[in-house]
């Protein structure tokens, strides 16, 4: 008997990843909509299972936060992992929405995701796959999702880094001393893409320039904003601001005067 089919009515597929498909479902007993992610890979081996379980173990350890996609439960079915989570409206996939972000809107997204990162880093968890695809929006609130690469700061497992385009050079060089700062770098690249409205080239010079800390100027943006972004993509992880530094930056004062918490 399938727990999935017993408990949920499948409405439609809403997304897919490398090793997963995500469905919009109705939970029969409470009449509410959720997203359920099915792993498509069969997890025979113990190491595979342990890696897959990191995602739900991190989500469960974190507890709920307004700026993190909500987690409800998880289970195994025929060697596949199922994850029941909060259904969001859409994600900030760059290819889909060529919608450009103005500075005020991007500051909202940056502030909210920085709060999510401050929360997870305080609990000793790093995301390692921050990118537009993995930032969701629900009722106008930005939420960090897809903890498929997340791990503990003092982990025993080797890391499984996310999308290489968002990784700083120290990860490419296998230096793992400041994994929290990997998330800060990735968020910097994410914000940069949201402003440009187009993905950075996979391994183009623009991306290499970013990784070398030589951020091309962004016309029409304040110097304070450009310096903040540049700091987030500093080649030296130690010099990048922490998530807490970000949240406390005075750049957010003007746009968030009423919503700062
Ligand atoms: P990737 O290989 O990109 O990391 P993944 O296999 O880890 O993908 P997710 O990123 O978690 O899978 O989800 C795949 C897609 O499903 C997302 O890009 C999004 O379109 C959709 N999706 C995932 N979770 C949700 C959710 N909670 N609400 C709405 N849509 C979702
Ligand atoms: Mg994803
Ligand atoms: Mg993923």
């Amino acid at each position: 008997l399938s727990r999935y089919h017993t408990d949920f009515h499948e409405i439609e597929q809403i997304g897919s990843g490398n090793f997963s498909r995500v469905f919009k479902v109705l939970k029969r007993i409470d009449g509410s909509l959720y997203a359920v992610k099915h792993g498509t890979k069969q997890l025979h081996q113990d190491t595979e299972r342990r890696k897959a379980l990191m995602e739900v173990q991190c989500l469960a350890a974190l507890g709920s936060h307004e700026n993190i996609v909500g987690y409800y439960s998880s289970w195994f079915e025929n060697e596949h992992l199922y994850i029941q989570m909060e259904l969001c409206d859409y994600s900030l996939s760059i290819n889909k929405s060529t919608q450009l972000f103005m500075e005020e809107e991007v500051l909202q997204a940056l502030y909210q995701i920085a709060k999510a990162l401050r929360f997870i880093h305080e609990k000793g968890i790093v995301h390692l796959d921050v990118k537009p695809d993995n930032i969701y929006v629900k009722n106008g609130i930005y939420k960090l999702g897809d903890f498929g690469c997340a791990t503990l700061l003092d982990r025993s497992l080797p890391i499984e880094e996310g999308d290489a385009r968002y990784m700083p050079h120290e990860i490419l060089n296998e230096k793992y001393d400041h994994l929290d700062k990997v998330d800060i770098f990735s968020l910097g690249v994410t914000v940069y893409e949201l402003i440009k409205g187009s993905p950075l080239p996979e391994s183009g010079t623009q991306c290499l320039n970013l990784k070398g800390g030589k951020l091309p100027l962004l016309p029409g943006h304040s110097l304070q904003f450009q310096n903040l972004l540049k700091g987030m993509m500093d080649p030296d992880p130690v010099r990048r601001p922490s998530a807490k530094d970000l949240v406390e930056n005075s750049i957010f004062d003007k746009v968030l005067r009423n919503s700062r918490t």
Side-chain angles (χ1 to χ4, degrees):
L1 206 64
S2 156
R3 170 166 171 187
Y4 178 61
H5 291 290
T6 305
D7 288 359
F8 301 95
H9 168 68
E10 190 173 274
I11 297 171
E12 61 181 342
Q13 182 168 344
I14 51 176
S16 59
N18 290 332
F19 302 107
S20 68
R21 292 193 295 160
V22 179
F23 292 87
K24 176 180 176 175
V25 300
L26 179 81
K27 188 164 191 198
R28 299 182 202 274
I29 199 163
D30 64 17
S32 267
L33 296 171
Y34 296 92
V36 170
K37 179 166 163 175
H38 303 200
T40 49
K41 206 163 116 189
Q42 278 203 321
L43 305 170
H44 304 291
Q45 285 167 4
D46 214 47
T47 47
E48 286 179 331
R49 281 170 92 96
R50 267 195 298 161
K51 252 196 251 164
L53 285 176
M54 267 312 274
E55 177 169 0
V56 291
Q57 284 166 354
C58 285
L59 286 168
L62 282 170
S64 74
H65 186 279
E66 190 186 18
N67 302 114
I68 294 177
V69 175
Y71 162 74
Y72 293 97
S73 71
S74 52
W75 67 95
F76 269 112
E77 214 167 291
N78 305 323
E79 301 194 304
H80 293 279
L81 180 63
Y82 285 67
I83 307 175
Q84 178 196 356
M85 57 194 160
E86 173 182 13
L87 177 67
C88 295
D89 300 331
Y90 58 94
S91 74
L92 298 181
S93 172
I94 285 297
N95 305 310
K96 275 184 266 168
S97 60
T98 19
Q99 159 212 20
L100 281 179
F101 273 65
M102 296 296 118
E103 187 164 318
E104 197 161 307
E105 191 52 32
V106 93
L107 282 176
Q108 277 288 351
L110 174 55
Y111 180 65
Q112 293 180 28
I113 299 306
K115 282 204 289 185
L117 290 179
R118 178 181 63 175
F119 180 78
I120 75 167
H121 291 169
E122 270 170 4
K123 301 209 168 182
I125 289 170
V126 287
H127 186 278
L128 302 185
D129 199 16
V130 176
K131 55 177 176 175
D133 266 330
N134 291 337
I135 295 175
Y136 293 84
V137 181
K138 187 186 182 185
N139 300 332
I141 308 276
Y142 294 98
K143 292 169 188 270
L144 181 61
D146 189 357
F147 280 66
C149 295
T151 189
L152 308 176
L153 258 171
D154 52 5
R155 75 221 162 272
S156 50
L157 289 168
I159 75 155
E160 179 112 2
E161 71 257 28
D163 195 323
R165 290 184 306 137
Y166 300 85
M167 290 297 123
H169 68 102
E170 76 265 15
I171 285 297
L172 310 175
N173 299 337
E174 298 184 31
K175 292 212 173 72
Y176 303 142
D177 301 336
H178 304 280
L179 285 180
D180 55 331
K181 300 299 183 73
V182 173
D183 287 341
I184 302 296
F185 182 94
S186 305
L187 183 55
V189 180
T190 298
V191 165
Y192 196 83
E193 284 191 345
L194 292 179
I195 291 167
K196 301 288 275 187
S198 58
L200 291 172
E202 199 93 13
S203 60
T205 47
Q206 196 180 14
C207 205
L208 292 174
N209 282 341
L210 282 177
K211 288 182 184 182
K214 291 187 220 91
L215 186 67
L217 282 176
L218 293 162
H221 287 275
S222 66
L223 204 59
Q224 188 184 12
F225 180 69
Q226 304 212 30
N227 284 335
L228 180 66
L229 266 192
K230 201 170 168 182
M232 291 174 73
M233 288 181 269
D234 196 297
D236 179 358
V238 177
R239 296 217 310 248
R240 286 174 212 147
S242 66
K244 184 170 180 287
D245 294 335
L246 277 181
V247 170
E248 290 168 0
N249 193 296
S250 67
I251 199 169
F252 300 113
D253 289 350
K254 47 181 183 279
V255 273
L256 306 164
R257 212 170 290 128
N258 303 316
S259 57
R260 200 187 261 273
T261 48

